[in-house]
Amino acid sequence: MELDFARYLRLSRTNFLEVANQWERPLKRDDLLLNDYLNLVQTLGELMQATDTLNPDVPKLLTSQSAAVVDIYGQGLIQFLMISLKQQWTHLMVLEPADLEKLGKFPQHRLQHQIMGELTMLLNSYHQRRQSDFAHAWRSYLKLGLFELKLTDVEINQAVERQLHEA
């Protein structure tokens, strides 16, 4: 497997608080983690839209240019890493290739259910500070990319590396 989570964590660490210092409207330090969770929820919404996971019940706004699914997915992966850094849960992030292969044993054909589950686990993780829910959401997100969306590890790695180096 091409995915090197330990390397991604090292690269993400340089962006740990740098980006927050560049914001026009600075947040209080206590709200940085909340902001990270909200950004991840937003990215999951963009991923649902890009993959036609849901049927909108209101007219869809047209965007001038939609990002590739792999780029949105890579952004979400980096956001998971940033949350783990801020909560000191990085030990949950590094998985071996054998761990990743196990994720494919229970396919979920209904992406709506999988993403709703991830959102629920993320909310529980934030509100109740439960790292078990965060770990489960992380694994579910990896499963979503590798097995349900069928993104290759090479594609994901390229998207993540590019985004980490651009930041």
Side-chain angles (χ1 to χ4, degrees):
M1 279 252 157
E2 183 97 14
L3 302 175
D4 186 351
F5 301 113
R7 175 174 160 65
Y8 302 152
L9 282 165
R10 284 191 303 277
L11 290 171
S12 296
R13 192 173 304 278
T14 61
N15 300 330
F16 186 67
L17 289 174
E18 280 183 29
V19 176
N21 292 329
Q22 298 170 9
W23 290 335
E24 237 175 83
R25 283 185 343 208
L27 296 176
K28 294 186 292 186
R29 189 167 180 83
D30 294 345
D31 290 339
L32 292 176
L33 185 62
L34 171 62
N35 191 67
D36 287 341
Y37 272 93
L38 291 173
N39 280 320
L40 181 52
V41 168
Q42 175 67 29
T43 299
L44 286 171
E46 290 173 16
L47 194 58
M48 284 190 292
Q49 188 171 11
T51 58
D52 291 325
T53 297
L54 51 90
N55 295 318
D57 57 359
V58 294
K60 198 182 210 181
L61 295 174
L62 296 175
T63 56
S64 58
Q65 183 180 23
S66 66
V69 170
V70 70
D71 288 334
I72 297 169
Y73 183 84
Q75 181 180 357
L77 192 144
I78 293 168
Q79 289 167 331
F80 265 102
L81 296 173
M82 293 302 288
I83 291 169
S84 77
L85 283 166
K86 288 182 182 164
Q87 294 191 290
Q88 298 179 354
W89 292 349
T90 56
H91 61 283
L92 303 172
M93 308 310 283
V94 180
L95 301 174
E96 298 297 323
D99 298 324
L100 295 174
E101 288 174 23
K102 289 178 190 174
L103 299 176
K105 289 186 178 181
F106 304 101
Q108 172 61 268
H109 300 291
R110 297 177 72 188
L111 295 183
Q112 299 98 328
H113 290 271
Q114 183 158 351
I115 292 176
M116 183 59 82
E118 290 171 16
L119 290 169
T120 301
M121 290 179 275
L122 286 170
L123 291 173
N124 286 339
S125 170
Y126 175 76
H127 287 293
Q128 299 170 7
R129 302 283 191 244
R130 293 199 326 217
Q131 63 177 287
S132 61
D133 281 327
F134 185 79
H136 197 162
W138 168 240
R139 289 172 182 261
S140 181
Y141 188 75
L142 292 173
K143 181 177 176 288
L144 172 71
L146 293 170
F147 297 102
E148 276 71 51
L149 297 177
K150 298 188 183 347
L151 302 174
T152 67
D153 56 340
V154 174
E155 289 174 313
I156 296 168
N157 182 59
Q158 288 173 348
V160 169
E161 290 275 345
R162 184 177 63 256
Q163 290 177 40
L164 286 172
H165 289 300
E166 288 174 0

